[in-house]
Amino acid sequence: MSDSALLSSSAVAAIDDLELAARLVVEGVRSGAHRSPFHGFTAEFSQHRPYRPGDDLKYLDWKVLARTDRLYSRQFSETTNLSVMLVLDASASMSFPAETGAPSKFRYSAVVTAALAYLIIDQGDAAGLMTMAGERFVYLPAKGGRQHLRALLAMLSRLEPSGEWPIDRALTRGAELLKRRGAVIAISDFYDATETTARDLRRIARRGHDVALLQVLSRDEITFPYTGDLEFEDLENGARRHLDAKAAAHAYRARVASFLEDFRKQVHRDGHDYALMPTDIPPSRALRSYLLRRAAAASATARPGDAS
Amino acid sequence: MTFLQPWAWIGLVAVAGPIVAHLLARRSARRLPFPTVRFLPAAIQTPVSRDRLTDITLLVVRCLVLVTAAAALALPVWLTADQRRTLGESVARAIVVDNGVANAADPQAARLSAESTVARVAHADEPARLLGEASTWLAQQPMRREIVLVSDFPAQALSKADLDRIPAGIGIKLVPVSTSGRSHAAMEVRDGPVLLTGAADRANALAAREAAVAQGAVSTGRKDRPIALVFPGHEGRDTLLKSAHDIDQPWMFTVVRAVTQDHIVMAAAREIGKPAADIVAPLAAPINGESHLLLVMSVQPASLVSAAVMRTAARAVAPEPAADVIATHSAEQLKAWERPAASIAPDGSRAPEESRGRWLWLAALVLMVIERVMARRPRTAAHTEVSDVARVA
């Protein structure tokens, strides 16, 4: 699929209806994907109940009708083979950039999160949402179904970035809340990642969870296109730094590049999934690229097992 | 290069504007919320002193815009060597001729006009009044320019102040002509004393009267106070003296006293060794039915004392003898007031459309575009790290 056919990040972010935005992103993802990275669902028989007018006839148990001459509908309990906990960074740093027309990192992350949830639930898997900003803790358990998806999207829509993000606590808590083996997908700028975070992530992985880190950054954070006298104010802790931006640009870019490189190496060394998503890249393209890479990696690891 | 409107360079004062603005502009730092300041170096701070010029290039461009605009307003004219030589050899003359001496001045004016590349001749009773008009006409001539005044330059008709009002760069030439031709009524002796001489002395008597006139002091006589000088050779002298009687009119006594007490007459009388009273005897007698004062002369008309008596007698009956003296500027004074024409017309000598100002306006426009582009440059910082980031991604 060509890039021109994808909605730009600004256009997607401008859509108020998060479900619609997510669907548009997912359509973009699907049209480019060859194979779903998530497995399909199975439905397990649960019980019979008396037929009520309006019940779908396909759920009518014809065998029981033939044996007993009574109308019973079959009920199934939907089962999933994957539970995904989406851990979204809702700290104040994600509200950048606030002034320009480009989408903020949080809005971009929300659209990506919604698209992932849409994709996962649409395939019959379970998706949950968890976010933590300061002492505020928002949690929605991983479940499947349209109703749950709508609840998840509604919760996402209500979120506003603020405060700081204790990433280690958030990830640990998110993993704990998954009742069985699943995946933890964290969407953040990961500015707060530390050695402790890396250790926690390794522990989560050892418990059998699949860990993916989607790092969302604004392009301006990377390229630092500022000049003149500027007073930079830290969105999370309020610290200020008065600089000649032009003179500081080189050092800043070098430090950011070093940070990103170190973080990427650390994540790959620990065996986690990682993707950098600058906000000027359409969410569909960023997500499709990530999912294709994930699917390719999954098939590559599955092949030796199949052979044995 | 010559400027048609050199005063426009005053506009260069405006150059101080952007410099002062750059110096005085308070560089209040704009606050920018940023995700994290941990990657920002702490040491690179901007000096906030006012005397530090930021963006020198932009300042230079802005100053150049103003300089170019001022130069364009000054209407510069570039002359080639040939043009400059041609202009240097050409001269435009505005020739103002004094009507009072027109007869003598016109030939001079015609000669000067013929020697000029362009000339305009004007006549005026008061030449000073035409100087402004002449300057205006000359200002439009693309060559050396000169005002020429042809006159006998009476003192009251021209002053230094009149000449000072002529714009710099315009030459001044003052051509004096003889005042002998000036037709001042007071200089004519239409009704001077009647000269009664013998036929042989007639010419001498007229010569003596001319001598008196040449002194510039003989005025019109008064018809109600006729005077007759009776010289020894006059044929009717005896008859006339027989009919004469003593003077009886007050004015006659006045004239006689003036004559006998005039220092020139007295000096002339001393020359011939006689007192003035012996030279002139006053009587009164009718001539052609009109009572005349007879000044019976004991000397011949061709003498200095005769001329002095004629002069004094005429002055004594003149209504305003002092007004007949005509004072003029000296030749030295006129030379001092003259000045040469500038080699090249400094201003106003070319029509504005011949100026190269339009090219300077174009240059100013281009500089303004450059200035706009530079002023909008701030957010175009290099994206040199994009490739690195792409590699990281």
Side-chain angles (χ1 to χ4, degrees), chain A residues 191 221-222 227 229 231 233 235 240-244 253 255, chain B residues 30-32 34-35 38-41 44-46 378 382 385 389:
Chain A
Y191 281 149
E221 284 177 272
I222 303 169
T227 56
D229 291 340
E231 187 175 50
E233 181 178 19
L235 280 166
R240 291 177 185 175
R241 202 156 292 184
H242 186 182
L243 291 169
D244 181 348
R253 289 184 201 124
R255 290 181 186 188
Chain B
R30 186 166 62 91
R31 185 173 297 176
L32 182 71
F34 208 62
R38 58 187 276 203
F39 301 121
L40 291 171
I44 305 176
Q45 298 262 337
T46 305
E385 302 297 327
V389 173

PDB file of all heavy atoms in Angstrom, chain A residues 191 221-222 227 229 231 233 235 240-244 253 255, chain B residues 30-32 34-35 38-41 44-46 378 382 385 389:
ATOM      1  N   TYR A 191      11.360   8.083  28.485  1.00  0.00           N
ATOM      2  CA  TYR A 191      12.395   8.954  29.036  1.00  0.00           C
ATOM      3  C   TYR A 191      12.721   8.579  30.484  1.00  0.00           C
ATOM      4  O   TYR A 191      13.760   8.950  31.003  1.00  0.00           O
ATOM      5  CB  TYR A 191      11.935  10.413  28.981  1.00  0.00           C
ATOM      6  CG  TYR A 191      12.071  11.038  27.612  1.00  0.00           C
ATOM      7  CD1 TYR A 191      11.193  12.020  27.174  1.00  0.00           C
ATOM      8  CD2 TYR A 191      13.084  10.648  26.754  1.00  0.00           C
ATOM      9  CE1 TYR A 191      11.314  12.601  25.921  1.00  0.00           C
ATOM     10  CE2 TYR A 191      13.214  11.207  25.501  1.00  0.00           C
ATOM     11  CZ  TYR A 191      12.333  12.190  25.089  1.00  0.00           C
ATOM     12  OH  TYR A 191      12.471  12.737  23.853  1.00  0.00           O
ATOM     13  N   GLU A 221      11.676  16.567  18.905  1.00  0.00           N
ATOM     14  CA  GLU A 221      12.507  16.081  20.005  1.00  0.00           C
ATOM     15  C   GLU A 221      13.794  15.455  19.483  1.00  0.00           C
ATOM     16  O   GLU A 221      14.816  15.440  20.167  1.00  0.00           O
ATOM     17  CB  GLU A 221      11.760  15.006  20.789  1.00  0.00           C
ATOM     18  CG  GLU A 221      10.689  15.511  21.701  1.00  0.00           C
ATOM     19  CD  GLU A 221       9.972  14.358  22.359  1.00  0.00           C
ATOM     20  OE1 GLU A 221       8.998  13.858  21.752  1.00  0.00           O
ATOM     21  OE2 GLU A 221      10.401  13.942  23.440  1.00  0.00           O
ATOM     22  N   ILE A 222      13.709  14.933  18.283  1.00  0.00           N
ATOM     23  CA  ILE A 222      14.871  14.227  17.735  1.00  0.00           C
ATOM     24  C   ILE A 222      15.805  15.196  17.013  1.00  0.00           C
ATOM     25  O   ILE A 222      17.016  15.171  17.199  1.00  0.00           O
ATOM     26  CB  ILE A 222      14.396  13.121  16.764  1.00  0.00           C
ATOM     27  CG1 ILE A 222      13.452  12.174  17.503  1.00  0.00           C
ATOM     28  CG2 ILE A 222      15.585  12.376  16.186  1.00  0.00           C
ATOM     29  CD1 ILE A 222      12.711  11.201  16.600  1.00  0.00           C
ATOM     30  N   THR A 227      16.113  27.676  17.335  1.00  0.00           N
ATOM     31  CA  THR A 227      17.183  28.675  17.365  1.00  0.00           C
ATOM     32  C   THR A 227      16.775  29.804  18.296  1.00  0.00           C
ATOM     33  O   THR A 227      15.604  29.921  18.658  1.00  0.00           O
ATOM     34  CB  THR A 227      17.449  29.274  15.969  1.00  0.00           C
ATOM     35  OG1 THR A 227      16.223  29.810  15.483  1.00  0.00           O
ATOM     36  CG2 THR A 227      18.001  28.248  14.999  1.00  0.00           C
ATOM     37  N   ASP A 229      17.147  32.453  21.718  1.00  0.00           N
ATOM     38  CA  ASP A 229      17.101  32.262  23.172  1.00  0.00           C
ATOM     39  C   ASP A 229      15.792  31.602  23.555  1.00  0.00           C
ATOM     40  O   ASP A 229      14.719  32.146  23.282  1.00  0.00           O
ATOM     41  CB  ASP A 229      17.207  33.620  23.883  1.00  0.00           C
ATOM     42  CG  ASP A 229      18.581  34.212  23.715  1.00  0.00           C
ATOM     43  OD1 ASP A 229      19.503  33.447  23.406  1.00  0.00           O
ATOM     44  OD2 ASP A 229      18.728  35.426  23.887  1.00  0.00           O
ATOM     45  N   GLU A 231      13.732  29.283  26.704  1.00  0.00           N
ATOM     46  CA  GLU A 231      13.736  28.712  28.040  1.00  0.00           C
ATOM     47  C   GLU A 231      12.915  27.432  27.996  1.00  0.00           C
ATOM     48  O   GLU A 231      11.692  27.479  27.854  1.00  0.00           O
ATOM     49  CB  GLU A 231      13.145  29.701  29.043  1.00  0.00           C
ATOM     50  CG  GLU A 231      13.294  29.224  30.465  1.00  0.00           C
ATOM     51  CD  GLU A 231      12.806  30.259  31.461  1.00  0.00           C
ATOM     52  OE1 GLU A 231      11.682  30.760  31.286  1.00  0.00           O
ATOM     53  OE2 GLU A 231      13.547  30.561  32.410  1.00  0.00           O
ATOM     54  N   GLU A 233      11.167  24.261  29.419  1.00  0.00           N
ATOM     55  CA  GLU A 233      10.559  23.900  30.709  1.00  0.00           C
ATOM     56  C   GLU A 233      10.152  22.434  30.660  1.00  0.00           C
ATOM     57  O   GLU A 233       9.389  22.018  29.770  1.00  0.00           O
ATOM     58  CB  GLU A 233       9.334  24.773  30.972  1.00  0.00           C
ATOM     59  CG  GLU A 233       8.676  24.480  32.301  1.00  0.00           C
ATOM     60  CD  GLU A 233       7.489  25.407  32.560  1.00  0.00           C
ATOM     61  OE1 GLU A 233       6.983  25.995  31.577  1.00  0.00           O
ATOM     62  OE2 GLU A 233       7.085  25.523  33.723  1.00  0.00           O
ATOM     63  N   LEU A 235       8.234  19.324  31.109  1.00  0.00           N
ATOM     64  CA  LEU A 235       6.789  19.179  31.266  1.00  0.00           C
ATOM     65  C   LEU A 235       6.418  18.376  32.506  1.00  0.00           C
ATOM     66  O   LEU A 235       5.300  18.469  33.006  1.00  0.00           O
ATOM     67  CB  LEU A 235       6.203  18.498  30.023  1.00  0.00           C
ATOM     68  CG  LEU A 235       5.994  19.418  28.811  1.00  0.00           C
ATOM     69  CD1 LEU A 235       5.750  18.607  27.561  1.00  0.00           C
ATOM     70  CD2 LEU A 235       4.831  20.356  29.058  1.00  0.00           C
ATOM     71  N   ARG A 240      13.664  24.247  34.508  1.00  0.00           N
ATOM     72  CA  ARG A 240      13.835  25.132  33.354  1.00  0.00           C
ATOM     73  C   ARG A 240      15.306  25.228  32.979  1.00  0.00           C
ATOM     74  O   ARG A 240      16.187  25.187  33.845  1.00  0.00           O
ATOM     75  CB  ARG A 240      13.303  26.534  33.671  1.00  0.00           C
ATOM     76  CG  ARG A 240      11.800  26.560  33.806  1.00  0.00           C
ATOM     77  CD  ARG A 240      11.314  27.925  34.190  1.00  0.00           C
ATOM     78  NE  ARG A 240       9.873  27.929  34.443  1.00  0.00           N
ATOM     79  CZ  ARG A 240       9.214  28.976  34.892  1.00  0.00           C
ATOM     80  NH1 ARG A 240       9.855  30.094  35.158  1.00  0.00           N
ATOM     81  NH2 ARG A 240       7.914  28.908  35.095  1.00  0.00           N
ATOM     82  N   ARG A 241      15.510  25.413  31.713  1.00  0.00           N
ATOM     83  CA  ARG A 241      16.875  25.601  31.231  1.00  0.00           C
ATOM     84  C   ARG A 241      16.854  26.663  30.145  1.00  0.00           C
ATOM     85  O   ARG A 241      16.186  26.500  29.126  1.00  0.00           O
ATOM     86  CB  ARG A 241      17.421  24.276  30.699  1.00  0.00           C
ATOM     87  CG  ARG A 241      18.918  24.251  30.676  1.00  0.00           C
ATOM     88  CD  ARG A 241      19.444  22.856  30.717  1.00  0.00           C
ATOM     89  NE  ARG A 241      19.187  22.216  32.006  1.00  0.00           N
ATOM     90  CZ  ARG A 241      19.619  21.014  32.333  1.00  0.00           C
ATOM     91  NH1 ARG A 241      20.322  20.327  31.472  1.00  0.00           N
ATOM     92  NH2 ARG A 241      19.340  20.486  33.502  1.00  0.00           N
ATOM     93  N   HIS A 242      17.604  27.725  30.402  1.00  0.00           N
ATOM     94  CA  HIS A 242      17.664  28.869  29.473  1.00  0.00           C
ATOM     95  C   HIS A 242      18.886  28.686  28.577  1.00  0.00           C
ATOM     96  O   HIS A 242      20.011  28.646  29.054  1.00  0.00           O
ATOM     97  CB  HIS A 242      17.765  30.164  30.273  1.00  0.00           C
ATOM     98  CG  HIS A 242      17.683  31.382  29.421  1.00  0.00           C
ATOM     99  ND1 HIS A 242      17.786  32.642  29.910  1.00  0.00           N
ATOM    100  CD2 HIS A 242      17.496  31.533  28.091  1.00  0.00           C
ATOM    101  CE1 HIS A 242      17.679  33.521  28.932  1.00  0.00           C
ATOM    102  NE2 HIS A 242      17.508  32.848  27.805  1.00  0.00           N
ATOM    103  N   LEU A 243      18.638  28.610  27.275  1.00  0.00           N
ATOM    104  CA  LEU A 243      19.725  28.242  26.366  1.00  0.00           C
ATOM    105  C   LEU A 243      19.689  29.046  25.079  1.00  0.00           C
ATOM    106  O   LEU A 243      18.652  29.535  24.667  1.00  0.00           O
ATOM    107  CB  LEU A 243      19.580  26.771  25.952  1.00  0.00           C
ATOM    108  CG  LEU A 243      19.807  25.699  26.998  1.00  0.00           C
ATOM    109  CD1 LEU A 243      19.340  24.392  26.437  1.00  0.00           C
ATOM    110  CD2 LEU A 243      21.267  25.620  27.372  1.00  0.00           C
ATOM    111  N   ASP A 244      20.849  29.134  24.477  1.00  0.00           N
ATOM    112  CA  ASP A 244      20.926  29.517  23.067  1.00  0.00           C
ATOM    113  C   ASP A 244      20.706  28.222  22.299  1.00  0.00           C
ATOM    114  O   ASP A 244      21.601  27.371  22.210  1.00  0.00           O
ATOM    115  CB  ASP A 244      22.286  30.126  22.754  1.00  0.00           C
ATOM    116  CG  ASP A 244      22.390  30.555  21.298  1.00  0.00           C
ATOM    117  OD1 ASP A 244      21.507  30.174  20.503  1.00  0.00           O
ATOM    118  OD2 ASP A 244      23.351  31.263  20.960  1.00  0.00           O
ATOM    119  N   ARG A 253      21.306  16.835  20.115  1.00  0.00           N
ATOM    120  CA  ARG A 253      21.055  15.757  19.143  1.00  0.00           C
ATOM    121  C   ARG A 253      21.956  14.554  19.433  1.00  0.00           C
ATOM    122  O   ARG A 253      21.521  13.402  19.334  1.00  0.00           O
ATOM    123  CB  ARG A 253      21.320  16.268  17.735  1.00  0.00           C
ATOM    124  CG  ARG A 253      20.279  17.253  17.238  1.00  0.00           C
ATOM    125  CD  ARG A 253      20.547  17.656  15.799  1.00  0.00           C
ATOM    126  NE  ARG A 253      19.894  18.909  15.471  1.00  0.00           N
ATOM    127  CZ  ARG A 253      20.502  19.993  15.003  1.00  0.00           C
ATOM    128  NH1 ARG A 253      21.800  19.974  14.795  1.00  0.00           N
ATOM    129  NH2 ARG A 253      19.830  21.083  14.744  1.00  0.00           N
ATOM    130  N   ARG A 255      23.162  13.668  22.298  1.00  0.00           N
ATOM    131  CA  ARG A 255      22.713  12.968  23.508  1.00  0.00           C
ATOM    132  C   ARG A 255      21.462  12.143  23.241  1.00  0.00           C
ATOM    133  O   ARG A 255      21.333  11.015  23.725  1.00  0.00           O
ATOM    134  CB  ARG A 255      22.435  13.984  24.618  1.00  0.00           C
ATOM    135  CG  ARG A 255      23.694  14.627  25.147  1.00  0.00           C
ATOM    136  CD  ARG A 255      23.394  15.597  26.257  1.00  0.00           C
ATOM    137  NE  ARG A 255      24.589  16.317  26.662  1.00  0.00           N
ATOM    138  CZ  ARG A 255      24.641  17.111  27.719  1.00  0.00           C
ATOM    139  NH1 ARG A 255      23.559  17.294  28.452  1.00  0.00           N
ATOM    140  NH2 ARG A 255      25.758  17.722  28.036  1.00  0.00           N
TER     141      ARG A 255
ATOM    142  N   ARG B  30      11.855  33.043  24.928  1.00  0.00           N
ATOM    143  CA  ARG B  30      10.536  32.443  24.805  1.00  0.00           C
ATOM    144  C   ARG B  30      10.536  31.119  25.571  1.00  0.00           C
ATOM    145  O   ARG B  30      11.503  30.355  25.504  1.00  0.00           O
ATOM    146  CB  ARG B  30      10.235  32.199  23.329  1.00  0.00           C
ATOM    147  CG  ARG B  30       8.841  31.699  23.046  1.00  0.00           C
ATOM    148  CD  ARG B  30       8.542  31.818  21.565  1.00  0.00           C
ATOM    149  NE  ARG B  30       9.428  31.008  20.749  1.00  0.00           N
ATOM    150  CZ  ARG B  30       9.164  29.748  20.391  1.00  0.00           C
ATOM    151  NH1 ARG B  30       8.060  29.175  20.784  1.00  0.00           N
ATOM    152  NH2 ARG B  30      10.019  29.076  19.645  1.00  0.00           N
ATOM    153  N   ARG B  31       9.477  30.901  26.310  1.00  0.00           N
ATOM    154  CA  ARG B  31       9.408  29.669  27.085  1.00  0.00           C
ATOM    155  C   ARG B  31       8.810  28.560  26.227  1.00  0.00           C
ATOM    156  O   ARG B  31       7.795  28.767  25.561  1.00  0.00           O
ATOM    157  CB  ARG B  31       8.567  29.879  28.340  1.00  0.00           C
ATOM    158  CG  ARG B  31       8.560  28.665  29.263  1.00  0.00           C
ATOM    159  CD  ARG B  31       7.874  28.969  30.563  1.00  0.00           C
ATOM    160  NE  ARG B  31       8.582  30.017  31.306  1.00  0.00           N
ATOM    161  CZ  ARG B  31       8.142  30.525  32.439  1.00  0.00           C
ATOM    162  NH1 ARG B  31       7.017  30.111  32.961  1.00  0.00           N
ATOM    163  NH2 ARG B  31       8.822  31.475  33.045  1.00  0.00           N
ATOM    164  N   LEU B  32       9.443  27.429  26.259  1.00  0.00           N
ATOM    165  CA  LEU B  32       8.988  26.318  25.429  1.00  0.00           C
ATOM    166  C   LEU B  32       8.840  25.076  26.305  1.00  0.00           C
ATOM    167  O   LEU B  32       9.826  24.539  26.804  1.00  0.00           O
ATOM    168  CB  LEU B  32      10.000  26.048  24.311  1.00  0.00           C
ATOM    169  CG  LEU B  32       9.613  24.935  23.344  1.00  0.00           C
ATOM    170  CD1 LEU B  32       8.454  25.368  22.466  1.00  0.00           C
ATOM    171  CD2 LEU B  32      10.797  24.549  22.475  1.00  0.00           C
ATOM    172  N   PHE B  34       8.845  21.423  27.178  1.00  0.00           N
ATOM    173  CA  PHE B  34       9.622  20.393  26.502  1.00  0.00           C
ATOM    174  C   PHE B  34       9.495  19.100  27.309  1.00  0.00           C
ATOM    175  O   PHE B  34       9.405  19.130  28.539  1.00  0.00           O
ATOM    176  CB  PHE B  34      11.088  20.846  26.426  1.00  0.00           C
ATOM    177  CG  PHE B  34      11.827  20.282  25.256  1.00  0.00           C
ATOM    178  CD1 PHE B  34      11.430  20.568  23.962  1.00  0.00           C
ATOM    179  CD2 PHE B  34      12.922  19.441  25.450  1.00  0.00           C
ATOM    180  CE1 PHE B  34      12.110  20.044  22.879  1.00  0.00           C
ATOM    181  CE2 PHE B  34      13.608  18.919  24.373  1.00  0.00           C
ATOM    182  CZ  PHE B  34      13.201  19.215  23.082  1.00  0.00           C
ATOM    183  N   PRO B  35       9.488  17.980  26.627  1.00  0.00           N
ATOM    184  CA  PRO B  35       9.256  16.717  27.343  1.00  0.00           C
ATOM    185  C   PRO B  35      10.251  16.491  28.475  1.00  0.00           C
ATOM    186  O   PRO B  35       9.872  16.092  29.575  1.00  0.00           O
ATOM    187  CB  PRO B  35       9.411  15.661  26.255  1.00  0.00           C
ATOM    188  CG  PRO B  35       9.101  16.372  24.989  1.00  0.00           C
ATOM    189  CD  PRO B  35       9.571  17.769  25.176  1.00  0.00           C
ATOM    190  N   ARG B  38      16.637  16.742  30.294  1.00  0.00           N
ATOM    191  CA  ARG B  38      17.821  15.969  30.691  1.00  0.00           C
ATOM    192  C   ARG B  38      18.867  15.904  29.589  1.00  0.00           C
ATOM    193  O   ARG B  38      20.047  15.710  29.859  1.00  0.00           O
ATOM    194  CB  ARG B  38      17.418  14.556  31.109  1.00  0.00           C
ATOM    195  CG  ARG B  38      16.708  13.815  30.025  1.00  0.00           C
ATOM    196  CD  ARG B  38      16.164  12.495  30.513  1.00  0.00           C
ATOM    197  NE  ARG B  38      17.173  11.438  30.474  1.00  0.00           N
ATOM    198  CZ  ARG B  38      16.874  10.148  30.417  1.00  0.00           C
ATOM    199  NH1 ARG B  38      15.597   9.772  30.423  1.00  0.00           N
ATOM    200  NH2 ARG B  38      17.812   9.243  30.368  1.00  0.00           N
ATOM    201  N   PHE B  39      18.433  16.071  28.334  1.00  0.00           N
ATOM    202  CA  PHE B  39      19.404  16.002  27.236  1.00  0.00           C
ATOM    203  C   PHE B  39      19.973  17.374  26.874  1.00  0.00           C
ATOM    204  O   PHE B  39      20.831  17.484  26.008  1.00  0.00           O
ATOM    205  CB  PHE B  39      18.753  15.404  25.984  1.00  0.00           C
ATOM    206  CG  PHE B  39      18.207  14.030  26.219  1.00  0.00           C
ATOM    207  CD1 PHE B  39      16.858  13.764  26.009  1.00  0.00           C
ATOM    208  CD2 PHE B  39      19.022  13.006  26.657  1.00  0.00           C
ATOM    209  CE1 PHE B  39      16.348  12.513  26.241  1.00  0.00           C
ATOM    210  CE2 PHE B  39      18.509  11.731  26.890  1.00  0.00           C
ATOM    211  CZ  PHE B  39      17.169  11.487  26.690  1.00  0.00           C
ATOM    212  N   LEU B  40      19.438  18.409  27.502  1.00  0.00           N
ATOM    213  CA  LEU B  40      19.900  19.761  27.162  1.00  0.00           C
ATOM    214  C   LEU B  40      21.151  20.091  27.956  1.00  0.00           C
ATOM    215  O   LEU B  40      21.185  19.894  29.168  1.00  0.00           O
ATOM    216  CB  LEU B  40      18.810  20.788  27.482  1.00  0.00           C
ATOM    217  CG  LEU B  40      17.569  20.722  26.593  1.00  0.00           C
ATOM    218  CD1 LEU B  40      16.487  21.628  27.161  1.00  0.00           C
ATOM    219  CD2 LEU B  40      17.905  21.148  25.178  1.00  0.00           C
ATOM    220  N   PRO B  41      22.175  20.596  27.291  1.00  0.00           N
ATOM    221  CA  PRO B  41      23.378  20.986  28.038  1.00  0.00           C
ATOM    222  C   PRO B  41      23.064  22.182  28.928  1.00  0.00           C
ATOM    223  O   PRO B  41      22.313  23.066  28.544  1.00  0.00           O
ATOM    224  CB  PRO B  41      24.380  21.345  26.943  1.00  0.00           C
ATOM    225  CG  PRO B  41      23.542  21.659  25.748  1.00  0.00           C
ATOM    226  CD  PRO B  41      22.303  20.846  25.854  1.00  0.00           C
ATOM    227  N   ILE B  44      25.499  25.969  27.981  1.00  0.00           N
ATOM    228  CA  ILE B  44      25.399  26.899  26.854  1.00  0.00           C
ATOM    229  C   ILE B  44      24.275  27.878  27.108  1.00  0.00           C
ATOM    230  O   ILE B  44      23.122  27.627  26.806  1.00  0.00           O
ATOM    231  CB  ILE B  44      25.179  26.138  25.541  1.00  0.00           C
ATOM    232  CG1 ILE B  44      26.283  25.117  25.350  1.00  0.00           C
ATOM    233  CG2 ILE B  44      25.126  27.105  24.373  1.00  0.00           C
ATOM    234  CD1 ILE B  44      26.110  24.244  24.147  1.00  0.00           C
ATOM    235  N   GLN B  45      24.634  28.964  27.724  1.00  0.00           N
ATOM    236  CA  GLN B  45      23.647  29.991  28.028  1.00  0.00           C
ATOM    237  C   GLN B  45      23.876  31.173  27.111  1.00  0.00           C
ATOM    238  O   GLN B  45      25.002  31.464  26.726  1.00  0.00           O
ATOM    239  CB  GLN B  45      23.808  30.445  29.473  1.00  0.00           C
ATOM    240  CG  GLN B  45      23.584  29.334  30.470  1.00  0.00           C
ATOM    241  CD  GLN B  45      22.195  29.352  31.054  1.00  0.00           C
ATOM    242  OE1 GLN B  45      21.558  30.383  31.054  1.00  0.00           O
ATOM    243  NE2 GLN B  45      21.730  28.227  31.538  1.00  0.00           N
ATOM    244  N   THR B  46      22.834  31.862  26.808  1.00  0.00           N
ATOM    245  CA  THR B  46      22.960  33.037  25.948  1.00  0.00           C
ATOM    246  C   THR B  46      23.325  34.257  26.772  1.00  0.00           C
ATOM    247  O   THR B  46      22.640  34.562  27.740  1.00  0.00           O
ATOM    248  CB  THR B  46      21.627  33.316  25.260  1.00  0.00           C
ATOM    249  OG1 THR B  46      21.254  32.137  24.581  1.00  0.00           O
ATOM    250  CG2 THR B  46      21.773  34.459  24.281  1.00  0.00           C
ATOM    251  N   PRO B 378      14.529  31.364  11.374  1.00  0.00           N
ATOM    252  CA  PRO B 378      14.822  30.728  12.649  1.00  0.00           C
ATOM    253  C   PRO B 378      14.526  29.240  12.759  1.00  0.00           C
ATOM    254  O   PRO B 378      15.317  28.512  13.305  1.00  0.00           O
ATOM    255  CB  PRO B 378      13.942  31.509  13.627  1.00  0.00           C
ATOM    256  CG  PRO B 378      13.859  32.837  13.022  1.00  0.00           C
ATOM    257  CD  PRO B 378      13.867  32.619  11.550  1.00  0.00           C
ATOM    258  N   ALA B 382      19.256  22.965  10.980  1.00  0.00           N
ATOM    259  CA  ALA B 382      19.646  21.773  10.227  1.00  0.00           C
ATOM    260  C   ALA B 382      19.032  20.514  10.819  1.00  0.00           C
ATOM    261  O   ALA B 382      18.923  20.352  12.027  1.00  0.00           O
ATOM    262  CB  ALA B 382      21.154  21.667  10.258  1.00  0.00           C
ATOM    263  N   GLU B 385      20.577  15.350  12.006  1.00  0.00           N
ATOM    264  CA  GLU B 385      20.535  14.105  12.744  1.00  0.00           C
ATOM    265  C   GLU B 385      19.421  13.189  12.275  1.00  0.00           C
ATOM    266  O   GLU B 385      19.238  12.111  12.803  1.00  0.00           O
ATOM    267  CB  GLU B 385      20.351  14.396  14.240  1.00  0.00           C
ATOM    268  CG  GLU B 385      21.442  15.275  14.825  1.00  0.00           C
ATOM    269  CD  GLU B 385      22.803  14.614  14.767  1.00  0.00           C
ATOM    270  OE1 GLU B 385      22.859  13.384  14.877  1.00  0.00           O
ATOM    271  OE2 GLU B 385      23.798  15.327  14.556  1.00  0.00           O
ATOM    272  N   VAL B 389      18.703   9.227  13.192  1.00  0.00           N
ATOM    273  CA  VAL B 389      17.495   8.752  13.858  1.00  0.00           C
ATOM    274  C   VAL B 389      16.814   7.681  13.017  1.00  0.00           C
ATOM    275  O   VAL B 389      16.331   6.671  13.528  1.00  0.00           O
ATOM    276  CB  VAL B 389      16.542   9.922  14.123  1.00  0.00           C
ATOM    277  CG1 VAL B 389      15.227   9.411  14.648  1.00  0.00           C
ATOM    278  CG2 VAL B 389      17.185  10.873  15.100  1.00  0.00           C
TER     279      VAL B 389
END
